[in-house]
């Protein structure tokens, strides 16, 4: 049998992963990978407001490309990267730093929205202005996100409407300037329900 130290073991692992990714990606459609309600509208609003959008996933880059394309959202993203196209996956900051470089955005002016503690840790390590955990999409439990809140996430939100409020100061407000972010996050945390 194969042993983990055998080169053939590593080669077989790579081939199996490639076969899995290829099949998984071929199955992507708007039906097999539905968006959370109102996320498409929020992405469109963010792009229309002039925010530079990037996507980083610990899945394969081709998977993220396929999901965004299936929902006609790829055009709003200046960069898409996956764990297979960055030196080290999250929680390392490499992917976020590469996305910022591709977008021409300083990490200190960037906000990362994620659904796992590794997302918050990557944003913190990259020196992002803020990281927002989204409990409705959490790969981990809400409790795990809350445990990371304050340590890695600056804020954990429960709904897409909460995220929209955080990014735009309400349903019809302007996009938030990152220079105002720290004061705003402190206010948002002390105001659990948007007005």
């Amino acid at each position: 049998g194969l042993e983990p130290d055998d080169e053939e073991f590593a080669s077989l692992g790579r081939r199996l992963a490639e076969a899995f990714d290829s099949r998984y990606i071929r199955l992507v459609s708007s039906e097999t990978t539905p968006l959370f309600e109102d996320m498409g509208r929020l992405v469109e609003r963010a792009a229309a407001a002039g925010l530079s959008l990037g996507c980083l996933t610990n899945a394969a880059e081709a998977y993220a490309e396929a999901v965004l394309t299936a929902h006609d959202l790829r055009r709003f993203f200046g960069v898409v990267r996956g764990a297979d196209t960055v030196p080290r996956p999250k929680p390392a900051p490499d992917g976020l730093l590469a996305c910022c470089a591709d977008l021409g955005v300083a990490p200190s002016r960037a906000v990362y929205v994620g659904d796992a503690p590794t997302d918050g840790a990557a944003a913190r390590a990259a020196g992002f202005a803020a990281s927002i955990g989204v409990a409705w999409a959490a790969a981990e439990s809400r409790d795990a996100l809350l445990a990371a809140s304050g340590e890695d996430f600056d804020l954990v939100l429960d709904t897409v409407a909460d995220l929209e409020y955080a990014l735009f100061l309400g349903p019809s407000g302007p996009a938030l300037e990152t220079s105002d972010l720290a004061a705003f996050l402190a206010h948002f945390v002390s105001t659990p329900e948007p007005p």
Side-chain angles (χ1 to χ4, degrees), residues 136-163:
W136 75 83
E140 307 282 335
S141 71
R142 185 175 196 293
D143 291 341
L145 289 183
L146 288 173
S149 182
E151 185 175 313
D152 293 317
F153 285 118
D154 295 297
L155 188 62
V156 174
L157 302 174
D158 291 313
T159 68
V160 175
D162 288 344
L163 178 59

Side-chain angles (χ1 to χ4, degrees), residues 48-137:
L51 299 179
S52 297
L53 302 178
C55 175
L56 174 65
T57 178
N58 268 353
E61 180 177 309
Y63 176 74
E65 291 276 2
V67 171
L68 292 172
T69 299
H71 293 283
D72 193 30
L73 296 174
R74 176 59 180 97
R75 60 197 161 106
F76 299 116
F77 288 81
V79 62
V80 176
R81 290 195 178 243
D84 59 332
T85 59
V86 298
R88 296 178 300 162
K90 298 174 287 181
D94 305 33
L96 291 178
L97 294 172
C99 287
C100 284
D102 290 347
L103 292 169
V105 173
S108 63
R109 297 203 33 88
V111 175
Y112 190 62
V113 178
D115 64 355
T118 53
D119 296 325
R124 180 83 57 216
F128 272 36
S131 60
I132 300 173
V134 292
W136 75 83

